[in-house]
Amino acid sequence: SGNLWFGTDLGVYKYDGKSFRVFNQKDGLGQQDISRKGILVDQSGTIWVGTHRGVFRYDPAAESKGGQSFSLFQALADINVAGIMQDKNGNLWFASSEKGVYRYDGKSISHFAEKEGLGNNYAGGMAQDAAGNMWFTMKNGICKYDGKTFTDYTAKDGLGGTEFWGIYIEQSGIIWVTAR
């Protein structure tokens, strides 16, 4: 509907082109510190907000009636969200800074962590390449998921840095990673 959404450590701000409205705990957010890449407007228009205490969905009808505008997405009630994205197939992905990654297909949640082959339980950035592979930044490198298998890339594979945060894939296929 043309609104701009901003996540801050004071809550979520919606800008409608004329004024700002802030949403925080009184509006249903369990915690008002919003993750770095913690806001997503999905293909259907649903607004998802990731916090350090779970994932919340925005309900415009509740806002118009003066009720709590956000409700906890119970399937992911206890995660510290580092990022949210939607893949080419419409699946939602939630990166957690402590429990790996989650995929929501609109009906059920799949969880991927170290025990399933994910590099480690800290996931930060996420991206999808042209072939449909999902890429995640981890504390010690990056990890590719082809839908069946995880492949880790770390300093031994030529990555520089000790902590990895952001990831971007150019249309040409070049992968850019921010590291420290």
Side-chain angles (χ1 to χ4, degrees):
S1 58
N3 296 316
L4 297 175
W5 293 85
F6 305 92
T8 72
D9 58 357
L10 299 175
V12 175
Y13 285 81
K14 177 176 82 171
Y15 180 65
D16 64 7
K18 297 176 184 169
S19 62
F20 286 92
R21 167 139 171 19
V22 65
F23 299 90
N24 51 38
Q25 290 165 318
K26 69 177 175 42
D27 301 295
L29 290 173
Q31 209 236 12
Q32 63 190 33
D33 191 5
I34 310 306
S35 305
R36 178 175 56 91
K37 291 194 171 189
I39 297 178
L40 172 76
V41 180
D42 72 17
Q43 294 168 352
S44 69
T46 300
I47 297 161
W48 299 83
V49 175
T51 73
H52 297 292
R53 286 195 176 154
V55 177
F56 295 81
R57 288 188 282 194
Y58 172 69
D59 180 358
E63 180 187 5
S64 68
K65 294 175 184 173
Q68 286 196 330
S69 306
F70 286 89
S71 61
L72 181 64
F73 181 54
Q74 292 293 331
L76 296 173
D78 188 32
I79 65 170
N80 184 349
V81 178
I84 306 172
M85 73 163 283
Q86 188 165 33
D87 69 21
K88 296 171 187 172
N89 294 323
N91 297 307
L92 297 178
W93 291 84
F94 302 90
S96 155
S97 63
E98 58 201 16
K99 296 181 180 177
V101 295
Y102 298 82
R103 179 183 62 208
Y104 178 56
D105 65 7
K107 296 178 184 172
S108 63
I109 297 282
S110 300
H111 179 227
F112 306 100
E114 284 183 68
K115 66 182 180 177
E116 288 80 25
L118 186 67
N120 69 42
N121 285 338
Y122 179 91
M126 296 180 287
Q128 186 175 33
D129 66 23
N133 298 308
M134 291 297 299
W135 292 82
F136 309 102
T137 59
M138 313 305 291
K139 275 195 176 176
N140 60 347
I142 60 175
C143 187
K144 178 178 88 169
Y145 178 60
D146 65 8
K148 295 180 183 177
T149 306
F150 290 95
T151 305
D152 293 334
Y153 300 92
T154 63
K156 68 179 171 58
D157 300 300
L159 287 178
T162 56
E163 292 183 23
F164 299 84
W165 302 103
I167 187 166
Y168 177 79
I169 303 174
E170 291 183 6
Q171 286 182 342
S172 67
I174 294 172
I175 299 173
W176 293 90
V177 181
T178 59
R180 148 175 106 139

